[in-house]
Amino acid sequence: MPATLVGTDARGEPRLPHTGPRSLLRRARLDEHLPVDRRLSRVYRIGAGLVGLGLMLFGVLGLTENVGMFDTRDDTVWGLNTNGALGWLSIVVGLLLLAGMIKGGNFASTLNMLLGVAFVLSGFVNLALLETDANILNFRLQNVIFSFAVGLLLMTFGMYGRVSGRLPHDNPYWRARNPGAAGEERRRRELAERRRRELTTPPTGRPPAAGGSAGSPPRT
């Protein structure tokens, strides 16, 4: 089977990036002046900002309870156990997400994805550490569920318009993964637009009169 047919759908479009899963994190330059790019960047900013503010508020409220750095008592905020270490960690991660909100674009998308994966992994690790002396962040089952939920939420925001089998061809991530095809489509669009302008623009000069050259008097 030819290599160009591997991983294509019925329409011949690639279902996965040509270079494999590693290209999912390839940097794409989002142009905020383009409607598609601006809409994607807005989603990434909203996701990072909402989760970042929530984590910062959780951390600050936990620290105001004057809990010890590694206490394992039943100190709670919003029904979630906390201590000093978890409070400071939440504040740091929240600030990082707020920086992603300010930066926007591909940076915010990648940051959301990576931190989302980190939250999911943290949920699994702390689930294994429950009821052990290594549970220094004072996690309980509700904290584990919260970690999973935040991780999935961040991953959803980060992957929006980026991870799909059929991205539209005006998508910046499709353009980054298919530079040759994107350049060819851009040239075709420019050529079609030039021809359209040529057909709709009226001529600037008068054509020669019928039956004689330009400037000759008509025959009687």
Side-chain angles (χ1 to χ4, degrees):
M1 179 181 293
T4 55
L5 298 180
V6 176
T8 60
D9 60 16
R11 298 180 301 173
E13 296 185 357
R15 294 190 62 83
L16 287 174
H18 296 300
T19 53
R22 212 183 302 180
S23 68
L24 294 178
L25 294 178
R26 179 178 297 175
R27 183 172 181 81
R29 187 183 300 276
L30 271 67
D31 186 353
E32 297 283 349
H33 297 289
L34 299 177
V36 175
D37 297 31
R38 184 168 60 250
R39 182 175 66 252
L40 291 175
S41 184
R42 186 183 303 120
V43 172
Y44 305 146
R45 291 176 188 269
I46 291 174
L50 289 177
V51 178
L53 286 174
L55 290 175
M56 282 194 62
L57 186 57
F58 171 79
V60 170
L61 291 176
L63 295 179
T64 57
E65 299 293 330
N66 296 320
V67 295
M69 184 61 69
F70 298 109
D71 280 353
T72 56
R73 299 176 300 179
D74 289 329
D75 300 300
T76 62
V77 173
W78 298 342
L80 303 172
N81 275 46
T82 187
N83 61 15
L86 184 58
W88 282 112
L89 181 61
S90 300
I91 292 174
V92 170
V93 176
L95 288 173
L96 186 58
L97 284 169
L98 290 181
M101 179 192 70
I102 296 173
K103 181 71 174 178
N106 182 269
F107 176 80
S109 171
T110 303
L111 181 65
N112 287 342
M113 290 172 59
L114 294 178
L115 288 181
V117 172
F119 267 93
V120 172
L121 293 177
S122 172
F124 281 113
V125 171
N126 285 285
L127 180 62
L129 297 179
L130 293 180
E131 308 300 333
T132 68
D133 293 336
N135 184 18
I136 59 175
L137 296 179
N138 197 22
F139 260 56
R140 297 293 187 270
L141 185 58
Q142 60 267 28
N143 295 74
V144 173
I145 296 174
F146 178 78
S147 185
F148 285 147
V150 171
L152 293 175
L153 182 63
L154 282 174
M155 290 171 63
T156 300
F157 275 113
M159 293 180 181
Y160 176 80
R162 181 171 185 173
V163 180
S164 173
R166 295 192 181 100
L167 293 175
H169 291 189
D170 60 350
N171 182 283
Y173 298 102
W174 185 91
R175 298 196 305 264
R177 297 168 194 163
N178 303 272
E184 183 64 27
E185 284 199 359
R186 183 171 61 253
R187 286 190 292 271
R188 285 202 300 266
R189 286 196 301 269
E190 291 174 352
L191 181 59
E193 179 64 21
R194 190 181 305 117
R195 289 177 177 174
R196 187 190 65 80
R197 287 198 301 266
E198 290 175 354
L199 291 174
T200 57
T201 302
T204 56
R206 291 185 62 183
S213 59
S216 300
R219 296 181 180 181
T220 57

